[in-house]
Amino acid sequence: MPSIRKFVVTPNLPDPLKPLLDIARNAWWSWNVEAISLLRRVDPDQWDRHAGNPVAVLGSLSSQRVRELERDQAFLAHLERVQGDLERYLTRPTWYVSEHKGVGDGLVGYFSLEFGLHESLPLYSGGLGILAGDHLKSATDLGIPLVGVGLAYQSGYFRQYLNHDGWQMEEYPVNDFYNMSMSLERDRDGAPRLIEVHYPGRSIFAQIWRIQVGRNPLFLLDTNLQENRAEDRDLTARLYGGDTDMRIRQEIMLGIGGLRALIALGLEPTVCHLNEGHSAFLALERINLLMKHRGLSYETAFEIVRASNIFTTHTPVPAGNDHFSPDLIRTYLTRKADEMGIGIDRLLALGRQDPNNQNESFVMPVLALRLSRFANGVSELHGHVSRDMWQRVWPDVPKSEIPISHVTNGIHTRSWLCSEIARLYDRYLGPRWYEEPTNKTLWDRVALIPDAELWRSHERMRERLVGFVRARLRKQMERRGASRIWIKAASEALDPEALTIGFARRFATYKRAALILRDPERLSRILNNPERPVQLIFAGKAHPKDHPGKEVIRQLVHMAEREEFRKRIVFVEDYNIEVARYLVQGVDVWLNNPRRPLEASGTSGMKVPPNGGVNLSVLDGWWCEGYHKDNGWAIGDGEEHDDQQYQDEVESEALYDLLEKEIVPAFYGRGVDGVPREWTRIMKNSMRTVNAEFNTNRMVEEYTERFYIPCLDNVRRLGADDHALATDLARWRHRLHENWSGVVILAVDAPPLKAQPMGAMLPVTAKVRLGAIPAEEVLVEVYHGLLDTAGNIQDGETATMFVQGGPAADGTVLFKGEIPCRRAGRRGFSVRVVPRKDGFPLDRFETGLIRWWNDGSAEPAPSTPGTSSQPAHQH
């Protein structure tokens, strides 16, 4: 190949039009209706040709079109308005500044393997990335000092198309970063700023791309550089592509490389938020850098890093998490372990549920759990599922007390809201609704919207959806080389006035896309009722290696091709943010029927109520919290079945029953003015109850107040006086582990356990030998609650026990507490000892040390991480 000198050509606009570049290069435009209207107005044909990519549009303008825009006074006035809106947005006072003035300086680094901001930035695959994108948008709305970190995928996730048999095929178009809303970070000399990450036998370099998201930047690493080997240039080629070796290399780049990128840019994060376990290696790098640059011991650095990390898990099944073999970890992280002075075996133990089991794989979420102060699932039910799934990390802790909480996901409302409904909100809720999307009082004003006005607006959005789907179907048919008859049929698919149900998500088998197809004859009667027709729109991708998921798509497509379903069931190829936006804005009902409890959250359903749609879902994920009987429909009552065939049979029958007896009659029960009053009542209830709660402004506020601010405070306190508190905490933790085997609950006593009247207080005493550990450094508790049929405490409560006098001559200490008898029934209690250090950022179980009363035995087995001893109960 000849030598090639590279250069970049950028859009050259006259001064009056230059603000277009500022708008196009800030993703703020993607959730601002006026900005989108302006950018589309630049050249509507080019806008459609470039899939709504404003930078590509500006770069393809003819000189004639530029002159026309420069002379168009109405366009220039529109541009001035939008430019003013952006400037006001960037400078206006924010929630964070007004509510948390005294927090001080600090920066949150938000790390995610994917980000979904807009379809013109295809760096996402599905829900995890969309959630990350919405998180960034709400963070800038609220003024949170936060930066995002990810990878710049040259081909992103795959584009989907179906062959003649309906089988999913994949293609990987190349992203042209220079013609996207991205810019390359450069040094003072104008050269791309590079970071270096060590891998076995070589270094890999990455350049840094910036996407400006309102006030906050998102930085993405790109290894497609001549300095790298061919296989290393492909490191950031595809999202979720390749084998486990590729995955660990990507995750090293995300975690370690991402942290180094922020430091190179002068943006070292004070707090790190790990969106899934993919970036957990960053915690090791943070420890390593503290040791190198500040001369701290591993133990002291560990305390600082752990106190300032947050981990959010999104996965409800163990198999969905990254597991790496010990040999793979040794290959890639032995050097890092040696740099940290801990050795590879100790590093491996950090990622094992049982650190003493040499045969266990290394699990990224386990590493994240061990190195994070806060951990959470993404819905209330998912919090329960996560505590159950990771109980082996805390083997002696009751499941209900496993330190994994939940923050229920949300959506960035303005990114998903249609302009028709937004105008209704402006008119009847007032303009504050988009600045205060968590204000429940404002959303109660939805009741003021006239039924007819709401219904007509929604009808227009359904008509728009049908037109969009027909156009997509025609393109699908043309691509497959279909006959004119089939292309004509695509133009006539669907009825813009029929009850429209949408189902769009990843085609994993547990999501059961084909559940509604289980009884074709009954479904046909529902869909083809001439007086009350119903239609189904499906979309979604299966992972390239998920052949069962691909088979579900194939079966669905074959079903849609049957004569009785040809105009009533369609599958839209290549599901992306654009398709999702049309669907959630235009459907009447959003269908979701996963196998409970395998849906961690399911944010797609949250996008429908703001637009007037209604949810029909299994009680899983967020719908357990969102469903209120009069704001949508629940399939079943939240049951979980071992027999999947039986479950499918029962829940498909329940789904058909709901459609026949409740949903279809409510939709078609029209008044004299053609408005379905019962349906609009449900629409309004859905808007009122869902919109205020299930948005990312509420979610990010919750993360900020529960996690970010406490972590920022932890860093301040632990770093003060040359890290004195962190050093003290590390020494204390070491001393605890050295002496914990000497902690023994020798005896537990209570009055004769006859029936206790409700309202009574049952006194309990415990004689405890603490050895070398002072009494003020432990918390002794009575753990009590109702008993199940096996005699185990269910959902126990705690009552603190207090020291009675000083230590006895034999070194034992007497503790006393009381059990409040608040509920009737068969109850039991036990006693436990856990470490405590007042004034330190600790969870009571994070040390992994806990001692239960063991039936009066003087020498119970030591309770250490990776071992479990069953507590004794008194009934």
Side-chain angles (χ1 to χ4, degrees), residues 751-770:
L753 296 183
K754 61 184 180 180
Q756 300 290 319
M758 284 182 62
M761 301 295 289
L762 179 67
V764 179
T765 58
K767 186 178 182 182
V768 182
R769 189 174 69 210
L770 296 174

Side-chain angles (χ1 to χ4, degrees), residues 33 36 44 90 94 98 128 157 190 221 280 283 296 317 491 513 560 610 640 661 700 763 776 809:
V33 172
I36 294 170
L90 296 175
T94 65
S98 64
L128 179 70
Y157 202 48
L221 302 184
L296 302 181
V317 291
S491 301
E640 296 174 24
K661 299 174 182 177
V700 174
E776 61 269 19

Side-chain angles (χ1 to χ4, degrees), residues 393-414:
V393 179
W394 295 272
D396 295 331
V397 177
K399 185 167 64 176
S400 62
E401 294 186 289
I402 297 290
I404 302 175
S405 62
H406 79 275
V407 176
T408 301
N409 281 344
I411 62 159
H412 187 256
T413 305
R414 291 186 71 189

